[in-house]
Amino acid sequence: NPTGTVFSKEQLEEICDLVLEENASRGEDEKPLYLMYDQIYNLLTFGETVHYHPVQLRPELRPYTIYVDGISKSLAATGVRVGWAFGPHRIIDKMKSILGHVGAWSPKPEQIATGLYMQNDEQVDTYLVWIRSEVEKRLQGFYEGFQQLKNEGFTVDAIAPQAAIYLTVQVELRGRNTPDGEHISTAEQATAYLLNEAKLAIVPFYAFGSSRESNWYRLSVGTASMSDVSGAISKLREALLKLS
């Protein structure tokens, strides 16, 4: 999140090596550097994409790695908010102590129901095969739609989907004029035009820390049906044709 792309094995290895190198330089009385690895999307990978995790690549990282995961993405249970963490005893024990005084967590019935469901390997595997297939079809549909628009000469692009429920898309509207005569010069104006004219709600990457000059956006298929895909591309084409 938000790109729908993944670290390469080599990139993750470089991060792991940096953590190991840093900890090797610290004294016994110094706190180590820990790596928190959020793998909430790890079961939603597509095509040739392979999910790697730190301890798999560098077993010596085990004392310094905290994993966090949950059911909100791969099992489409966003509102349930059941998740978990595992890692070094020292850190997990402290996390438990903090949570014991926070007073806000998933209700116990949801936790128990999730635990029981997760024990049914066949049912879970069947669902994961289905949801991966459905999400990939939608992502691929939008990707192919954007590539078609690009081939038609429109200033758009997209990165082939690798994981999660997001597609990274590029839409350059700056310097163009709307049918109402408004000159588009910012990403905010471009986003508003796409929403109002194409009915396409995409999030500019500056919302995630990128430059406001960026013309890249996050497109989510979390609530999209297959019938939405072709309709969205058609509306986008119509909106782009209206610009001068």
Side-chain angles (χ1 to χ4, degrees), residues 194-244:
L194 292 171
L195 179 60
N196 295 326
E197 198 66 37
K199 309 304 179 187
L200 185 64
I202 53 179
V203 183
F205 269 19
Y206 69 72
F208 303 97
S210 295
S211 167
R212 285 189 172 269
E213 299 301 311
S214 174
N215 56 13
W216 289 91
Y217 297 80
R218 183 190 80 172
L219 186 156
S220 173
V221 300
T223 60
S225 65
M226 280 305 298
S227 61
D228 293 330
V229 177
S230 58
I233 296 299
S234 295
K235 289 180 180 178
L236 177 57
R237 179 185 289 106
E238 294 172 5
L240 296 174
L241 284 170
K242 293 179 181 179
L243 296 171
S244 60

Side-chain angles (χ1 to χ4, degrees), residues 1-148:
N1 185 11
T3 63
T5 59
V6 300
F7 283 127
S8 68
K9 178 183 178 182
E10 292 73 24
Q11 289 171 321
L12 185 55
E13 285 176 330
E14 289 178 4
I15 293 172
C16 293
D17 289 339
L18 286 172
V19 175
L20 290 171
E21 181 181 345
E22 174 62 28
N23 284 334
S25 70
R26 297 190 180 188
E28 293 183 3
D29 59 338
E30 295 182 279
K31 291 182 178 180
L33 173 64
Y34 290 98
L35 173 63
M36 177 172 280
Y37 194 71
D38 180 352
Q39 55 177 20
I40 194 74
Y41 291 103
N42 78 92
L43 296 175
L44 294 178
T45 56
F46 315 114
E48 301 299 318
T49 303
V50 177
H51 171 71
Y52 295 100
H53 62 86
V55 177
Q56 173 189 11
L57 300 179
R58 296 290 186 271
E60 58 269 39
L61 258 180
R62 183 169 182 170
Y64 313 117
T65 306
I66 302 101
Y67 289 87
V68 290
D69 203 344
I71 67 172
S72 63
K73 305 303 181 182
S74 59
L75 294 178
T78 306
V80 178
R81 296 297 182 184
V82 173
W84 52 86
F86 56 94
H89 279 294
R90 179 174 181 273
I91 299 300
I92 298 299
D93 285 346
K94 289 184 178 295
M95 291 172 67
K96 289 180 180 178
S97 297
I98 293 174
L99 283 174
H101 296 280
V102 168
W105 47 74
S106 298
K108 187 174 182 179
E110 294 181 358
Q111 297 182 43
I112 294 174
T114 299
L116 291 173
Y117 174 72
M118 296 294 280
Q119 294 177 48
N120 190 329
D121 293 341
E122 183 177 353
Q123 189 175 30
V124 172
D125 289 345
T126 298
Y127 181 80
L128 288 174
V129 169
W130 175 81
I131 193 173
R132 269 197 298 263
S133 173
E134 292 298 313
V135 171
E136 184 173 17
K137 283 191 292 186
R138 289 156 174 73
L139 287 171
Q140 192 63 31
F142 273 112
Y143 172 72
E144 292 173 0
F146 267 81
Q147 293 306 306
Q148 178 61 41

